[in-house]
Amino acid sequence: MRHQYHPLGFEGSRIAQGFWRLQEWEMTSSETLGFIEACLDLGVTTFDHADIYGDYQCEALFGEALKLKPALRDKMEIVTKCGILLPSDNRPDIQVHRYDYRSEHILASVDRSLENLQCDYIDTLLLHRPSPLMDADDVAQALDLLFTLGKVKHFGVSNFTTRQFDLLQSRLDAPLIINQVELSPLALQHFEDGTLDHVQQHAVTPMAWSPFAGGEMFSGTNEKAQRVQDVLQVLAQEKNCEIDQIVVAWLLHHPAGICPVMGSGKIARLATAVDAMSTPLSDDDWFRVWIASQGQPVP
Ligand SMILES: NC(=O)c1ccc[n+]([C@@H]2O[C@H](COP(=O)([O-])OP(=O)(O)OC[C@H]3O[C@@H](n4cnc5c(N)ncnc54)[C@H](OP(=O)(O)O)[C@@H]3O)[C@@H](O)[C@H]2O)c1
């Protein structure tokens, strides 16, 4: 009988901050600390990482900042990921860009993340991308051990189909509490492929990566991006707010309880995203964006 996990589910902030681009922000440790504190002041307490971000450097940059004020650790929830192997000068042991979900790799990856983040537990560990070679029983062994050792409190997945999610879940006693997928007005696929139905059915939190499509929402020049930008402009004018706010409000409006993971290193942009929590959209507004993205009326 496996150890019972704490059946708490995801307890994080409504909006999360991602650290994929932390290295690009070129912050000193004290500037990163200031950014982390500013996020916490805004009520954004969930921080999204992955072992591979910034060529395996971002977790360590975050950890250096956290070391300056370790008491902050318990005021935040750290999400990080494992499972992608990326050839890099920082990891000469990796030859092929691929996935690895053998239990020994998961265990070693978490130990590296803990060391880099300079903390002794991870709130939620996500399997970063599904692998055709994933053996769910082997994964379950690693997750059980990580939980028993107190290294990870909760588990989830990222970019998993509903079938892949169910397969892994069938081998675990604990509920998987997150599926982090790409969701934005320019990325509608997971609104329609059953992912958002599945998370609601199983009380799983959907986290939205690249909520601004990596910046395409503002700079995209293709027809779809232009159509969406035009509607966002109109809505922003009607509500006297920024386009960003409309996009985040659009994600928050969905009944699945989407948690957008913001990607900018500019705190003013995160503040705008937080303002979206008090920018209600009507269903009419929501469908105007949906229809603009689809490029055709609903059937
Ligand atoms: N699970 C996965 O597979 C996966 C994949 C990708 C990302 N993620 C997570 O999702 C997080 C967010 O992804 P993302 O960084 O792609 O998010 P995003 O918010 O879609 O894109 C961020 C980019 O948009 C730009 N931007 C934001 N607001 C803007 C504005 N008002 N005007 C112009 N440009 C603006 C930012 O530039 P500035 O920095 O100049 O503001 C930045 O370059 C990542 O940090 C990571 O944690 C997960």
Side-chain angles (χ1 to χ4, degrees), residues 284-299:
D284 276 355
D285 298 333
W286 196 90
F287 271 104
R288 283 158 77 185
V289 176
W290 175 268
I291 291 162
S293 180
Q294 298 277 16
Q296 56 186 21
V298 296

Side-chain angles (χ1 to χ4, degrees), residues 17-22 24-25 47-50 53 81 84 126 128-129 158-159 180-182 184 208-219 242-244 261-266 269:
Q17 174 64 40
F19 285 87
W20 175 27
R21 302 176 193 269
L22 174 56
E24 295 168 26
W25 303 340
F47 298 134
D48 187 68
H49 290 270
Y53 286 172
K81 314 184 191 80
I84 300 180
L126 308 184
H128 204 153
R129 283 192 172 273
S158 181
N159 305 301
Q180 185 179 121
V181 294
E182 185 179 18
S184 83
W209 61 258
S210 294
F212 297 147
E216 278 284 295
M217 201 70 67
F218 310 100
S219 59
E242 306 286 334
I243 287 180
D244 325 22
V261 187
M262 309 313 299
S264 174
K266 300 185 173 87
R269 289 187 170 163

Side-chain angles (χ1 to χ4, degrees), residues 100-115:
D100 190 348
Y101 291 106
R102 290 169 306 124
S103 54
E104 64 204 75
H105 173 74
I106 295 174
L107 297 172
S109 182
V110 166
D111 283 344
R112 272 191 298 269
S113 289
L114 288 172
E115 195 182 329

Side-chain angles (χ1 to χ4, degrees), residues 154-175:
H154 304 283
F155 300 95
V157 294
S158 181
N159 305 301
F160 271 44
T161 65
T162 57
R163 291 263 177 146
Q164 291 159 340
F165 186 107
D166 289 343
L167 168 60
L168 181 59
Q169 184 64 81
S170 74
R171 302 301 202 274
L172 300 173
D173 292 332

